Amino acid sequence: MPVSTIDAAAGVTTLINQFTVAPERQQELIDVLDQATEQVMRHQPGFIAANIHASLDGTHVANYAQWESEEAFRAMLANPECQEHMRAAAQIGSFEPVLYRVASVHHR
């Protein structure tokens, strides 16, 4: 089973999508993202994993997701079913998706 891997040699594409949300709607956004991931995103070709993080102050939600490639991520963006779920999230909070590669990892 694929899992999140934070490793510079893994060769995956990482999406870090930070949402800004009103604190009273943070859980609602998390629920929408969880539902979208379970129902649609994880079934897309090239999907590896998604991790949803809630800020302690309630004003942000971060989605740390990994895809096999940038092309797989872009194909997901073009999927109408995925777009529907992204629109639902956008109605709850603003967001800034950015693609990354792991440059380095440090441990204690």
Side-chain angles (χ1 to χ4, degrees), residues 15-81:
L15 165 70
I16 301 177
N17 196 355
Q18 181 168 299
F19 295 81
T20 301
V21 63
E24 65 273 11
R25 298 195 76 187
Q26 185 188 52
Q27 187 59 53
E28 179 185 2
L29 177 58
I30 291 167
D31 293 344
V32 165
L33 295 172
D34 282 345
Q35 181 181 28
T37 301
E38 281 300 311
Q39 293 179 358
V40 179
M41 302 303 179
R42 70 186 193 98
H43 302 288
Q44 301 305 302
F47 175 85
I48 297 172
N51 306 273
I52 311 300
H53 302 262
S55 70
L56 298 181
D57 67 1
T59 63
H60 292 89
V61 173
N63 178 4
Y64 181 96
Q66 292 181 322
W67 294 83
E68 289 176 358
S69 65
E70 183 178 351
E71 293 76 22
F73 174 77
R74 302 267 179 228
M76 176 278 298
L77 288 179
N79 181 313
E81 191 175 17

